[in-house]
């Protein structure tokens, strides 16, 4: 085996020596001698030899030349060319065409494809940078860089040993990168490999392994994500919500379809999208919720759709102690002849049957949403939209418990409930009209909070102050659940009719909640802001 | 009676014995669960270690009298489910260890803690798929949670016997990212030290829990990260442990919460091994 490795190893310096002696063959394409971290089999003495040969070649790039100038000893490992980087930084950028142009120019320059193994390793590293890692034709073009029929073993001894080991290793790296990125090989892949290495070689074996295992796990995921993901944020949001809701009855509602910058009073405003989901069960559960107890908007939490993180928010209640869970007794049920026959044959001694997946330890979930902005005003608009289907929400205080960490950063383990804030939207209509132009901006948020000064509390007596209008002992339970929070927070109720965003929706809410405001007036005389925020209220059942 | 006598006599008679400080003793005793508690201030206390081991030995012997694994025989034979790991307190976290690709020069981070309710294990961190620039590593980005080996008294190796069961049952809550669960079984040859039996856990994400049931027949054999051509079903009579790997090639934070890990008998599942057992192509 050693002798054959010697053959394959010694061929490269020989080839380069040959090329160096024939200047017409070397061409203008730079010699690509990469000291690649990926090339495991790369022998150091080969590097030195090959580099020593190519170092003297004409037609080097400027950067190589400058490097040569700086290190004037010719034996240094210095000659390489950033062909892909140069192509990518050109005017056409990192596209498939620039990538394949580099590959083509490499193939055209030298009929013997000198240095093709190093070229392929370098190209493999550049594929993700060009955004082509899921592109089969790119991998094919790299496999086509191998010269055909040269590496095919012709007798049994060659076949017995690892014929052209470095080249086979390189082709394995290509296949492995395909496998790594979930690219399925095709018949064409096999054809290329057979032409290059013959029909019994390591790359063909690897191909067979890929084709054996890939189909086995192709449909293993019970929660599949479309590939590629849709680009529309509304579609992605509803995908994420349908996935996490785990309820076929749940309906996705688009409370606000986002838009780009809208010119409002010479202020550029971006309207974030709000997509929510709620199931009939959750609605029913919410309607039974005690109106004197607050609800919480928690978030943002993260859900991943393959490589895309989506932030979602949860409307939830307090943890219900087990002894306070009210049992719903069927009124027709006879106490003497129970209508239920509880024969759970799977029950066993060690089983804990009190658990239910929807009994999450943080408290019951009533609705979820994905919003384009982690803004309280945005989420308040979601609550406003929810009030249409859940009139009981108008009577409940809502507490916003936003985590303030950067969404894409990793979370701290205990800082989840760090910042607790509450929305101040229990304002007079005059306040609203004053702030309409800039409800979304950060300053406006701060202003909103400061204007509701009577509810602005600090952490010490915050609960007591809140009791002024909620008046229940839930605060103590809450302090028990999240004892660590120390940040100041603000309190108000979310009252629907003052939200300027969705006039038609609000009018309906106002009517349905039998408020004494005039529905027609609020819809017939919308402000400029209202007109421009014509938010379509779509309901799609997915 | 005899056990009690031995324990007592050792405690008084063997004080300051120098051979106790020799390294086989230290390594053997260091690794085990009970003795570890006595090593809290990093000084080796042979008497404490010995008494702890003797107590463990006694416990084992008494368990034997009670039944297999300390469970009365009728319950042992008839049980359909068995919760192997649950997370009630900080001590339950000590049975687990976390490792990331920092071992091979990567940049992923991970940690375990108790969940907010105090009754779950929260495995969270951040993956980084950037490989180390050492010229060898080509792909990186994993974090692994694996159970520590269970040791009996005096460093005896202990195994789980899962052979009556055919389904692995986990109650988890993820963030939508898939994970891999692997089981380590006892092997005879050191060549097989890196053998793992793997399958995937696909998480849904969101606030709700998720019951994951994976038949043992679905687990496929891998060694050093490569699926093996010659597959075989797992031998469940000597299971050394279980682990969970997060490595879905996506850089970013992850979060995975486990309520319990158990095993169960699914009478409807009769498959022995899900993959072909014929030999590879010559």
């Amino acid at each position: 085996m050693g002798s054959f490795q010697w053959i394959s190893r010694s061929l490269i310096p020989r080839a380069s020596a040959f090329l160096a002696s024939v200047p017409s063959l070397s061409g203008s394409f730079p010699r690509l001698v990469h000291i690649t971290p990926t090339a495991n089999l790369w022998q150091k003495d080969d590097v030195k030899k090959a580099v020593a040969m190519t170092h003297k070649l004409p037609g080097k790039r400027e950067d190589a030349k400058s490097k040569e100038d700086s290190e004037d000893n010719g034996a240094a490992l210095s000659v390489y060319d950033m062909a892909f980087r140069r192509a990518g930084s050109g005017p056409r950028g990192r596209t498939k065409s620039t990538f394949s142009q580099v590959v083509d120019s490499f193939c055209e320059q030298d009929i013997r494809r000198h240095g093709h193994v190093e070229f392929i390793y370098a190209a493999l590293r550049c594929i993700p940078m060009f955004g082509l890692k899921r592109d089969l034709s790119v991998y094919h073009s790299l496999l086509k860089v191998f010269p055909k029929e040269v590496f095919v073993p012709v007798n049994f001894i060659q076949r017995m040993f690892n014929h052209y080991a470095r080249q086979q290793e390189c082709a394995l790296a290509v296949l492995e990168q395909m496998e790594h990125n979930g690219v399925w090989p095709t018949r064409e892949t096999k054809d290329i490999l057979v032409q290059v290495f013959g029909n019994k070689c390591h790359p063909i074996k690897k191909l067979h392994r890929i084709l054996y295992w890939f189909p086995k796990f192709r449909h293993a995921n019970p929660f599949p994500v479309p590939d590629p993901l849709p680009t529309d944020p509304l579609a992605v949001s509803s995908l994420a919500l349908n996935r996490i809701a785990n309820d076929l009855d749940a309906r996705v509602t688009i409370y606000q379809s986002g838009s780009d910058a809208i010119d409002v009073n010479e202020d550029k405003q971006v309207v974030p999208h709000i997509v929510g989901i709620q199931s009939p069960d959750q609605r029913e559960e919410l309607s039974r919720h005690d109106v004197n107890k607050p609800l919480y908007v928690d978030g943002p939490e993260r859900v991943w759709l393959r490589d895309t993180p989506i932030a979602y928010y949860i409307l939830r209640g307090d943890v219900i102690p087990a002894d306070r869970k009210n049992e719903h007794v069927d009124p027709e049920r006879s106490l003497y002849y129970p209508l239920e026959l509880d024969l759970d044959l799977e029950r066993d001694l060690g089983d804990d049957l009190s658990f239910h997946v929807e009994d999450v330890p943080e408290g019951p979930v009533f609705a979820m949403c994905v919003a384009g902005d982690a803004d309280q005003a945005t989420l308040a608009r979601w609550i406003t939209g929810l009030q249409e289907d859940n009139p009981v929400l108008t009577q409940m205080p809502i507490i916003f418990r936003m985590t303030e960490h950067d969404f894409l950063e990793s979370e701290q383990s205990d800082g989840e409930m760090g910042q607790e804030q509450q929305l101040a939207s229990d304002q007079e209509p005059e306040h609203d009209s004053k702030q309409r132009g800039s409800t979304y901006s950060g300053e406006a948020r701060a202003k909103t909070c400061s204007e509701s000064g009577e509810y602005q509390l600090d952490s010490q007596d915050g609960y007591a102050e809140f009791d002024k209008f909620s008046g229940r002992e839930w605060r103590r339970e809450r302090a028990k659940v999240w004892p660590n929070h120390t940040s100041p927070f603000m309190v108000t109720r979310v009252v629907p009719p003052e939200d300027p965003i969705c006039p038609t929706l609000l009018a309906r809410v106002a009517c349905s909640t039998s408020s004494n405001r005039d529905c027609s007036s609020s819809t017939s005389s919308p402000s400029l802001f209202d007109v421009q925020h014509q938010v379509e209220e779509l309901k799609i059942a997915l | 009676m005899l056990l009690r006598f031995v324990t007592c006599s050792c405690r008084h008679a063997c004080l300051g014995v120098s051979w106790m400080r020799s390294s086989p003793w230290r390594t053997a005793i260091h690794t085990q669960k009970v003795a570890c508690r006595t090593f809290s201030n990093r000084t080796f206390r042979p008497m404490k270690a010995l008494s702890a081991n003797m107590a463990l030995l006694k416990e084992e012997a008494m368990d034997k009298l009670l039944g297999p694994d300390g469970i009365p025989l009728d319950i042992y034979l008839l049980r359909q489910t068995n919760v192997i790991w649950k997370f009630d307190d900080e001590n339950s976290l000590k049975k687990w260890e976390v490792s990331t690709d920092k071992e091979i020069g990567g940049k992923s981070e991970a940690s375990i803690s108790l969940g907010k309710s105090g009754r779950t294990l929260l495995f969270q961190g951040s993956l980084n798929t950037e490989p180390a620039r050492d010229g060898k590593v080509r792909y990186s980005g994993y974090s692994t949670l694996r159970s520590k080996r269970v040791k009996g008294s005096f460093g005896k190796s202990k195994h789980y016997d899962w052979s009556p069961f055919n389904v692995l049952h986990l109650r988890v809550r993820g963030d939508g990212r898939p994970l891999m669960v692997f089981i380590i079984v006892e092997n005879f040859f050191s060549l097989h030290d890196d053998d793992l039996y793997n399958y995937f856990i696909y998480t849904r994400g969101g606030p709700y829990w998720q019951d994951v049931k994976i038949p043992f027949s679905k687990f496929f054999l891998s060694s050093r990260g490569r699926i093996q051509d010659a597959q075989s079903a797992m031998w469940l009579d000597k299971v050394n442990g279980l682990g969970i790997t997060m490595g879905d090639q996506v850089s970013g934070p992850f979060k995975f919460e486990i309520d319990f890990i158990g095993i169960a008998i699914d009478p409807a599942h009769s498959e022995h091994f899900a993959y072909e057992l014929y030999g590879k192509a010559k």
Side-chain angles (χ1 to χ4, degrees), chain A residues 469-506:
Chain A
F469 52 87
S470 71
R472 292 281 168 176
E473 75 282 7
W474 60 267
R475 60 194 180 92
R476 264 175 234 107
E477 298 167 20
R478 191 164 143 271
K480 259 184 273 168
V481 181
W482 291 284
N484 293 333
H485 87 281
T486 50
S487 60
F489 65 102
M490 283 138 286
V491 176
T492 353
R493 295 178 191 208
V494 176
V495 176
E498 304 310 325
D499 196 300
I501 300 308
C502 192
T504 55
L505 177 67
L506 291 179

Tab-separated table of all heavy atoms in Angstrom, chain A residues 469-506:
chain	number	residue	atom	x	y	z
A	469	PHE	N	-57.228	48.697	41.711
A	469	PHE	CA	-58.347	48.373	40.834
A	469	PHE	C	-58.435	46.907	40.458
A	469	PHE	O	-59.315	46.532	39.732
A	469	PHE	CB	-58.342	49.234	39.571
A	469	PHE	CG	-57.045	49.236	38.835
A	469	PHE	CD1	-56.755	48.275	37.895
A	469	PHE	CD2	-56.123	50.227	39.101
A	469	PHE	CE1	-55.565	48.304	37.228
A	469	PHE	CE2	-54.934	50.246	38.431
A	469	PHE	CZ	-54.649	49.284	37.497
A	470	SER	N	-57.563	46.128	40.922
A	470	SER	CA	-57.817	44.709	40.691
A	470	SER	C	-58.277	44.042	41.987
A	470	SER	O	-59.173	43.229	41.979
A	470	SER	CB	-56.583	44.001	40.174
A	470	SER	OG	-55.641	43.897	41.205
A	471	GLY	N	-57.665	44.457	43.069
A	471	GLY	CA	-58.185	44.109	44.372
A	471	GLY	C	-58.268	42.631	44.679
A	471	GLY	O	-59.261	42.142	45.176
A	472	ARG	N	-57.235	41.903	44.362
A	472	ARG	CA	-57.274	40.475	44.684
A	472	ARG	C	-55.929	40.058	45.245
A	472	ARG	O	-54.932	40.777	45.131
A	472	ARG	CB	-57.567	39.641	43.448
A	472	ARG	CG	-58.955	39.822	42.914
A	472	ARG	CD	-59.951	39.024	43.726
A	472	ARG	NE	-61.298	39.426	43.371
A	472	ARG	CZ	-62.381	38.845	43.857
A	472	ARG	NH1	-62.268	37.848	44.703
A	472	ARG	NH2	-63.568	39.257	43.517
A	473	GLU	N	-55.922	38.900	45.804
A	473	GLU	CA	-54.686	38.469	46.424
A	473	GLU	C	-53.773	37.736	45.433
A	473	GLU	O	-52.821	37.101	45.813
A	473	GLU	CB	-54.987	37.584	47.621
A	473	GLU	CG	-55.450	36.176	47.304
A	473	GLU	CD	-56.901	36.097	46.876
A	473	GLU	OE1	-57.525	37.161	46.698
A	473	GLU	OE2	-57.403	34.980	46.711
A	474	TRP	N	-54.077	37.870	44.155
A	474	TRP	CA	-53.252	37.178	43.159
A	474	TRP	C	-51.814	37.637	43.211
A	474	TRP	O	-50.907	36.950	42.812
A	474	TRP	CB	-53.785	37.426	41.752
A	474	TRP	CG	-53.802	38.876	41.388
A	474	TRP	CD1	-54.823	39.720	41.543
A	474	TRP	CD2	-52.731	39.623	40.840
A	474	TRP	NE1	-54.483	40.969	41.152
A	474	TRP	CE2	-53.192	40.939	40.700
A	474	TRP	CE3	-51.427	39.332	40.449
A	474	TRP	CZ2	-52.391	41.950	40.191
A	474	TRP	CZ3	-50.640	40.334	39.948
A	474	TRP	CH2	-51.131	41.638	39.827
A	475	ARG	N	-51.628	38.870	43.745
A	475	ARG	CA	-50.284	39.417	43.717
A	475	ARG	C	-49.325	38.580	44.558
A	475	ARG	O	-48.173	38.420	44.231
A	475	ARG	CB	-50.287	40.850	44.229
A	475	ARG	CG	-50.779	40.969	45.640
A	475	ARG	CD	-51.091	42.397	45.981
A	475	ARG	NE	-51.568	42.512	47.334
A	475	ARG	CZ	-50.788	42.744	48.368
A	475	ARG	NH1	-49.502	42.873	48.201
A	475	ARG	NH2	-51.286	42.841	49.562
A	476	ARG	N	-49.866	38.039	45.651
A	476	ARG	CA	-48.980	37.261	46.492
A	476	ARG	C	-48.582	35.968	45.796
A	476	ARG	O	-47.439	35.544	45.826
A	476	ARG	CB	-49.666	36.968	47.824
A	476	ARG	CG	-49.249	37.975	48.864
A	476	ARG	CD	-49.986	37.807	50.147
A	476	ARG	NE	-50.604	39.077	50.505
A	476	ARG	CZ	-51.891	39.314	50.430
A	476	ARG	NH1	-52.704	38.379	50.012
A	476	ARG	NH2	-52.378	40.480	50.764
A	477	GLU	N	-49.534	35.383	45.146
A	477	GLU	CA	-49.199	34.157	44.409
A	477	GLU	C	-48.176	34.450	43.324
A	477	GLU	O	-47.244	33.693	43.088
A	477	GLU	CB	-50.453	33.584	43.744
A	477	GLU	CG	-51.505	33.184	44.727
A	477	GLU	CD	-52.809	32.936	44.013
A	477	GLU	OE1	-52.795	32.717	42.788
A	477	GLU	OE2	-53.835	32.974	44.691
A	478	ARG	N	-48.380	35.587	42.718
A	478	ARG	CA	-47.485	35.925	41.623
A	478	ARG	C	-46.072	36.155	42.164
A	478	ARG	O	-45.090	35.732	41.577
A	478	ARG	CB	-47.985	37.174	40.932
A	478	ARG	CG	-47.295	37.443	39.656
A	478	ARG	CD	-48.109	38.427	38.889
A	478	ARG	NE	-47.230	39.326	38.188
A	478	ARG	CZ	-46.770	40.432	38.695
A	478	ARG	NH1	-47.098	40.791	39.913
A	478	ARG	NH2	-45.978	41.194	37.984
A	479	ALA	N	-46.012	36.799	43.323
A	479	ALA	CA	-44.704	37.022	43.926
A	479	ALA	C	-44.048	35.705	44.280
A	479	ALA	O	-42.841	35.569	44.279
A	479	ALA	CB	-44.865	37.878	45.174
A	480	LYS	N	-44.892	34.724	44.562
A	480	LYS	CA	-44.335	33.426	44.870
A	480	LYS	C	-43.751	32.781	43.616
A	480	LYS	O	-42.717	32.146	43.649
A	480	LYS	CB	-45.424	32.524	45.452
A	480	LYS	CG	-45.361	32.403	46.947
A	480	LYS	CD	-46.391	31.429	47.436
A	480	LYS	CE	-47.734	32.107	47.678
A	480	LYS	NZ	-48.827	31.196	47.890
A	481	VAL	N	-44.470	32.953	42.535
A	481	VAL	CA	-44.026	32.274	41.315
A	481	VAL	C	-42.772	32.926	40.764
A	481	VAL	O	-41.839	32.248	40.345
A	481	VAL	CB	-45.157	32.295	40.267
A	481	VAL	CG1	-44.688	31.576	39.021
A	481	VAL	CG2	-46.381	31.627	40.818
A	482	TRP	N	-42.754	34.242	40.742
A	482	TRP	CA	-41.566	34.927	40.233
A	482	TRP	C	-40.994	35.817	41.322
A	482	TRP	O	-41.205	37.034	41.340
A	482	TRP	CB	-41.904	35.760	39.016
A	482	TRP	CG	-42.225	34.882	37.882
A	482	TRP	CD1	-41.358	34.181	37.122
A	482	TRP	CD2	-43.524	34.588	37.369
A	482	TRP	NE1	-42.027	33.443	36.183
A	482	TRP	CE2	-43.347	33.685	36.312
A	482	TRP	CE3	-44.800	34.987	37.716
A	482	TRP	CZ2	-44.418	33.181	35.590
A	482	TRP	CZ3	-45.862	34.484	36.993
A	482	TRP	CH2	-45.653	33.588	35.946
A	483	PRO	N	-40.311	35.243	42.241
A	483	PRO	CA	-39.857	36.053	43.378
A	483	PRO	C	-38.710	36.986	43.026
A	483	PRO	O	-38.431	37.909	43.763
A	483	PRO	CB	-39.400	34.995	44.387
A	483	PRO	CG	-39.038	33.825	43.553
A	483	PRO	CD	-39.877	33.863	42.339
A	484	ASN	N	-38.077	36.755	41.926
A	484	ASN	CA	-36.818	37.451	41.695
A	484	ASN	C	-36.953	38.782	40.979
A	484	ASN	O	-35.971	39.471	40.791
A	484	ASN	CB	-35.885	36.563	40.875
A	484	ASN	CG	-35.472	35.360	41.676
A	484	ASN	OD1	-35.442	35.427	42.887
A	484	ASN	ND2	-35.197	34.272	41.007
A	485	HIS	N	-38.122	39.095	40.514
A	485	HIS	CA	-38.177	40.286	39.680
A	485	HIS	C	-38.015	41.529	40.547
A	485	HIS	O	-38.559	41.628	41.638
A	485	HIS	CB	-39.480	40.332	38.915
A	485	HIS	CG	-40.581	40.973	39.674
A	485	HIS	ND1	-41.265	40.296	40.644
A	485	HIS	CD2	-41.083	42.224	39.630
A	485	HIS	CE1	-42.155	41.102	41.155
A	485	HIS	NE2	-42.068	42.273	40.567
A	486	THR	N	-37.245	42.444	40.074
A	486	THR	CA	-36.985	43.649	40.849
A	486	THR	C	-37.240	44.905	40.044
A	486	THR	O	-37.094	46.001	40.541
A	486	THR	CB	-35.518	43.686	41.300
A	486	THR	OG1	-34.713	43.446	40.159
A	486	THR	CG2	-35.237	42.650	42.347
A	487	SER	N	-37.580	44.754	38.810
A	487	SER	CA	-37.642	45.943	37.968
A	487	SER	C	-38.970	46.675	38.160
A	487	SER	O	-39.977	46.082	38.516
A	487	SER	CB	-37.503	45.522	36.524
A	487	SER	OG	-38.570	44.661	36.234
A	488	PRO	N	-38.956	47.963	37.927
A	488	PRO	CA	-40.212	48.703	38.021
A	488	PRO	C	-41.141	48.300	36.887
A	488	PRO	O	-40.703	47.910	35.833
A	488	PRO	CB	-39.765	50.150	37.879
A	488	PRO	CG	-38.488	50.088	37.166
A	488	PRO	CD	-37.839	48.828	37.588
A	489	PHE	N	-42.377	48.370	37.162
A	489	PHE	CA	-43.311	48.063	36.075
A	489	PHE	C	-44.519	48.957	36.209
A	489	PHE	O	-44.786	49.536	37.253
A	489	PHE	CB	-43.699	46.591	36.105
A	489	PHE	CG	-44.475	46.186	37.307
A	489	PHE	CD1	-45.840	46.011	37.226
A	489	PHE	CD2	-43.841	45.988	38.517
A	489	PHE	CE1	-46.551	45.631	38.334
A	489	PHE	CE2	-44.556	45.618	39.620
A	489	PHE	CZ	-45.927	45.437	39.532
A	490	MET	N	-45.220	49.064	35.135
A	490	MET	CA	-46.357	49.961	35.086
A	490	MET	C	-47.628	49.185	34.800
A	490	MET	O	-47.595	48.133	34.208
A	490	MET	CB	-46.143	51.010	34.017
A	490	MET	CG	-45.197	52.056	34.503
A	490	MET	SD	-44.041	52.537	33.269
A	490	MET	CE	-42.955	51.198	33.192
A	491	VAL	N	-48.696	49.765	35.244
A	491	VAL	CA	-49.932	49.015	35.276
A	491	VAL	C	-51.040	49.791	34.605
A	491	VAL	O	-51.197	50.974	34.837
A	491	VAL	CB	-50.330	48.766	36.750
A	491	VAL	CG1	-51.667	48.079	36.814
A	491	VAL	CG2	-49.275	47.961	37.431
A	492	THR	N	-51.749	49.165	33.777
A	492	THR	CA	-53.028	49.708	33.336
A	492	THR	C	-53.832	48.588	32.731
A	492	THR	O	-53.325	47.514	32.501
A	492	THR	CB	-52.911	50.772	32.238
A	492	THR	OG1	-51.572	51.058	32.056
A	492	THR	CG2	-53.696	51.996	32.556
A	493	ARG	N	-55.044	48.899	32.416
A	493	ARG	CA	-55.832	47.940	31.673
A	493	ARG	C	-55.724	48.256	30.202
A	493	ARG	O	-55.522	49.392	29.810
A	493	ARG	CB	-57.306	48.045	32.069
A	493	ARG	CG	-57.533	47.654	33.480
A	493	ARG	CD	-58.981	47.848	33.779
A	493	ARG	NE	-59.147	47.720	35.237
A	493	ARG	CZ	-60.269	47.303	35.780
A	493	ARG	NH1	-61.287	47.010	35.034
A	493	ARG	NH2	-60.360	47.213	37.083
A	494	VAL	N	-55.955	47.257	29.452
A	494	VAL	CA	-56.083	47.494	28.015
A	494	VAL	C	-57.565	47.636	27.744
A	494	VAL	O	-58.324	46.705	27.959
A	494	VAL	CB	-55.514	46.328	27.211
A	494	VAL	CG1	-55.749	46.553	25.747
A	494	VAL	CG2	-54.042	46.202	27.497
A	495	VAL	N	-57.946	48.812	27.326
A	495	VAL	CA	-59.362	49.033	27.034
A	495	VAL	C	-59.487	49.217	25.534
A	495	VAL	O	-58.755	50.000	24.945
A	495	VAL	CB	-59.879	50.264	27.792
A	495	VAL	CG1	-61.308	50.553	27.412
A	495	VAL	CG2	-59.773	49.998	29.282
A	496	PRO	N	-60.360	48.525	24.899
A	496	PRO	CA	-60.310	48.462	23.444
A	496	PRO	C	-60.615	49.745	22.690
A	496	PRO	O	-59.886	50.071	21.771
A	496	PRO	CB	-61.330	47.383	23.104
A	496	PRO	CG	-62.189	47.273	24.284
A	496	PRO	CD	-61.372	47.642	25.454
A	497	PRO	N	-61.660	50.525	23.012
A	497	PRO	CA	-62.136	51.467	22.001
A	497	PRO	C	-61.183	52.609	21.721
A	497	PRO	O	-61.397	53.330	20.769
A	497	PRO	CB	-63.441	52.000	22.595
A	497	PRO	CG	-63.806	51.030	23.639
A	497	PRO	CD	-62.519	50.530	24.174
A	498	GLU	N	-60.139	52.777	22.505
A	498	GLU	CA	-59.296	53.934	22.269
A	498	GLU	C	-58.148	53.641	21.309
A	498	GLU	O	-57.375	54.515	21.001
A	498	GLU	CB	-58.716	54.412	23.604
A	498	GLU	CG	-59.761	54.718	24.632
A	498	GLU	CD	-60.849	55.611	24.101
A	498	GLU	OE1	-60.544	56.490	23.268
A	498	GLU	OE2	-62.002	55.429	24.484
A	499	ASP	N	-58.063	52.424	20.888
A	499	ASP	CA	-56.945	52.125	20.006
A	499	ASP	C	-57.250	52.659	18.619
A	499	ASP	O	-58.291	52.360	18.046
A	499	ASP	CB	-56.730	50.614	19.947
A	499	ASP	CG	-55.391	50.291	19.371
A	499	ASP	OD1	-55.142	50.677	18.228
A	499	ASP	OD2	-54.607	49.664	20.073
A	500	PRO	N	-56.366	53.455	18.073
A	500	PRO	CA	-56.676	54.116	16.814
A	500	PRO	C	-56.420	53.259	15.595
A	500	PRO	O	-56.674	53.681	14.478
A	500	PRO	CB	-55.718	55.302	16.834
A	500	PRO	CG	-54.542	54.778	17.570
A	500	PRO	CD	-55.063	53.822	18.588
A	501	ILE	N	-55.932	52.086	15.770
A	501	ILE	CA	-55.376	51.398	14.616
A	501	ILE	C	-56.415	50.766	13.734
A	501	ILE	O	-56.382	50.860	12.525
A	501	ILE	CB	-54.377	50.320	15.103
A	501	ILE	CG1	-53.274	51.004	15.877
A	501	ILE	CG2	-53.796	49.573	13.945
A	501	ILE	CD1	-52.644	52.139	15.124
A	502	CYS	N	-57.363	50.145	14.340
A	502	CYS	CA	-58.241	49.319	13.534
A	502	CYS	C	-59.683	49.773	13.710
A	502	CYS	O	-60.420	49.203	14.508
A	502	CYS	CB	-58.067	47.872	13.960
A	502	CYS	SG	-58.823	46.742	12.841
A	503	PRO	N	-60.095	50.818	13.023
A	503	PRO	CA	-61.399	51.417	13.315
A	503	PRO	C	-62.562	50.464	13.095
A	503	PRO	O	-63.478	50.426	13.915
A	503	PRO	CB	-61.459	52.607	12.363
A	503	PRO	CG	-60.399	52.399	11.366
A	503	PRO	CD	-59.373	51.527	11.971
A	504	THR	N	-62.513	49.703	12.015
A	504	THR	CA	-63.668	48.843	11.750
A	504	THR	C	-63.783	47.775	12.812
A	504	THR	O	-64.859	47.513	13.346
A	504	THR	CB	-63.524	48.183	10.379
A	504	THR	OG1	-62.267	47.495	10.352
A	504	THR	CG2	-63.548	49.200	9.281
A	505	LEU	N	-62.639	47.229	13.120
A	505	LEU	CA	-62.631	46.194	14.145
A	505	LEU	C	-63.111	46.746	15.465
A	505	LEU	O	-63.942	46.162	16.144
A	505	LEU	CB	-61.209	45.662	14.280
A	505	LEU	CG	-60.984	44.617	15.345
A	505	LEU	CD1	-61.707	43.352	14.963
A	505	LEU	CD2	-59.531	44.373	15.527
A	506	LEU	N	-62.630	47.950	15.762
A	506	LEU	CA	-62.970	48.543	17.051
A	506	LEU	C	-64.425	48.897	17.117
A	506	LEU	O	-65.055	48.775	18.161
A	506	LEU	CB	-62.117	49.784	17.282
A	506	LEU	CG	-60.663	49.428	17.493
A	506	LEU	CD1	-59.870	50.685	17.678
A	506	LEU	CD2	-60.548	48.538	18.690
